[in-house]
Amino acid sequence: MTLRMSRGWALTVGGLLVLSAFALSGALRAAEPGFEVLQLRPNFYMIAGAGANIGVQVGVDGVVVVDAGSASQTGAVLDAIKKITPRPIRYVIDTNADSDHVGGNEAVAKAGQTLFLQGGGPGVPADFLGGGASILAFENVLTRMSAPTGKVSPFPVEALPTEAFRQPRKYMYLNGEGIEVLHQPAAHTDGDVMVFFRRSDVVVAGDVLDTTRFPVIDVAKGGAIQGEIAALNRLVDLAIPSVPIVSREEGTLVIPGHGRVCDQLDVVEYRDMVIIIRDRIRDLIKAGSTLEQIKGASPTRGYTRRYGSDTGPWTTNNFVEAIYQTLVKEKP
């Protein structure tokens, strides 16, 4: 089985991306159609088809999971991880608060084992976190997953992040490599992070990058077109293409929230598409066009066939409306 890259590259078994042998086992048959496990590096895997794409780093310290997928697929996800390694899950890192990213938090964390079983210091009991894996996220993710006073949370307490941070960059060192968790303000939402595994040279981008559609800019949750472009620019800066020896087809691998694995040039193309559409809509706003007139002008032309949709939870019109709503808020 091959994984097709945007410029027609076909990387077969033994190449850069290898479909692991266990992907044809019972874990695959038990999951939804499209469930796949891809080995991207010797110690790094991607699970696709379980909701959002899931990153899995393994090593002597245990397993770090980026996004837990949908709640309905946690059984298949855990079976797949067990086939990768017998070592315990230590961390779940949430890239945002969407249910297809955090729905599996509770089950995946409970299946893991905290690094603090012996007690992490004064006042930290041996059964810290109930003995399960830690769940790490930006503070806004915890806020959105929690219930306001008098309300009922859509998620059980056990699914909520146990470690929340507010600084732009959170880091740790596990399995022999540095892991950077990088907050992206006001992009898809106001709680997005990208996770950079420095030695593996893999970035898990979350829904900042979605190769299956136009980027979802959730204005109600703090998303904005300028923040989305800033996040894509940062992703371009993080990634390194396979130069000067392009024939090796190496370089940084980028895992999007949904869709195929990318390289830096794929992200550049996606970023440029978003900028072009943003600029078209901005020019129409400056010319005095209404939202309906802007939609009628088809500002996504040239990209609609590849990324657009007239149905589903995120349509082309939704994308145009989100850009319009955030641009009209800008100062003249």
Side-chain angles (χ1 to χ4, degrees):
M1 182 177 295
T2 61
L3 185 66
R4 187 163 61 93
M5 304 298 274
S6 65
R7 286 166 300 284
W9 299 339
L11 305 178
T12 57
V13 174
L16 183 59
L17 304 181
V18 181
L19 179 61
S20 302
F22 61 78
L24 302 178
S25 69
L28 247 177
R29 293 193 295 271
E32 293 292 331
F35 186 94
E36 292 183 318
V37 181
L38 296 166
Q39 184 174 7
L40 307 184
R41 304 294 196 210
N43 71 321
F44 204 98
Y45 299 77
M46 177 180 115
I47 299 175
N53 288 332
I54 297 171
V56 181
Q57 181 227 35
V58 300
V60 295
D61 296 321
V63 181
V64 176
V65 177
V66 182
D67 287 326
S70 301
S72 62
Q73 288 297 298
T74 51
V77 169
L78 291 172
D79 284 347
I81 293 173
K82 288 176 183 177
K83 288 178 171 62
I84 294 171
T85 177
R87 295 188 181 276
I89 298 168
R90 300 298 196 182
Y91 266 92
V92 177
I93 303 175
D94 295 331
T95 61
N96 63 57
D98 294 351
S99 60
D100 59 341
H101 292 253
V102 303
N105 272 9
E106 178 182 10
V108 175
K110 282 185 176 180
Q113 186 180 79
T114 178
L115 283 166
F116 308 108
L117 277 175
Q118 305 304 314
V124 180
D127 63 347
F128 180 63
L129 304 179
S134 300
I135 303 174
L136 174 67
F138 191 71
E139 186 176 75
N140 291 352
V141 170
L142 174 59
T143 301
R144 296 196 185 283
M145 292 180 68
S146 304
T149 303
K151 303 288 185 178
V152 177
S153 171
F155 300 98
V157 173
E158 292 80 5
L160 303 184
T162 56
E163 296 184 34
F165 67 98
R166 282 203 60 81
Q167 62 267 37
R169 172 176 174 256
K170 174 79 173 179
Y171 52 81
M172 62 183 76
Y173 201 94
L174 289 171
N175 296 321
E177 71 175 314
I179 303 170
E180 294 184 88
V181 185
L182 306 169
H183 178 228
Q184 308 306 306
H188 160 59
T189 67
D190 59 9
D192 300 296
V193 300
M194 298 188 297
V195 187
F196 180 28
F197 294 83
R198 295 174 65 173
R199 192 181 71 174
S200 297
D201 202 13
V202 175
V203 184
V204 185
D207 281 349
V208 164
L209 178 66
D210 184 339
T211 64
T212 67
R213 56 188 173 180
F214 291 120
V216 178
I217 300 172
D218 194 334
V219 178
K221 295 181 179 178
I225 184 60
Q226 301 295 56
E228 170 67 20
I229 291 171
L232 290 171
N233 280 332
R234 190 172 193 185
L235 189 53
V236 169
D237 289 342
L238 281 177
I240 298 174
S242 183
V243 294
I245 308 176
V246 296
S247 61
R248 289 181 179 172
E249 296 176 353
E250 297 176 332
T252 307
L253 297 179
V254 180
I255 299 177
H258 301 269
R260 58 176 175 76
V261 178
C262 298
D263 63 11
Q264 191 215 44
L265 296 180
D266 295 317
V267 181
V268 169
E269 290 175 0
Y270 193 86
R271 186 271 317 271
D272 290 351
M273 173 269 294
V274 176
I275 290 175
I276 289 169
I277 296 172
R278 187 274 314 269
D279 289 349
R280 289 172 178 171
I281 295 174
R282 176 183 279 166
D283 288 344
L284 289 166
I285 291 173
K286 289 180 178 179
S289 299
T290 66
L291 175 57
E292 291 308 311
Q293 288 172 331
I294 290 172
K295 290 179 181 178
S298 301
T300 62
R301 62 188 178 278
Y303 303 103
T304 307
R305 188 169 183 178
R306 181 173 180 181
Y307 298 110
S309 175
D310 294 328
T311 60
W314 188 248
T315 65
T316 302
N317 278 342
N318 292 150
F319 178 54
V320 172
E321 289 169 4
I323 295 176
Y324 177 85
Q325 289 170 16
T326 58
L327 288 179
V328 296
K329 296 177 183 178
E330 290 183 347
K331 294 181 180 180

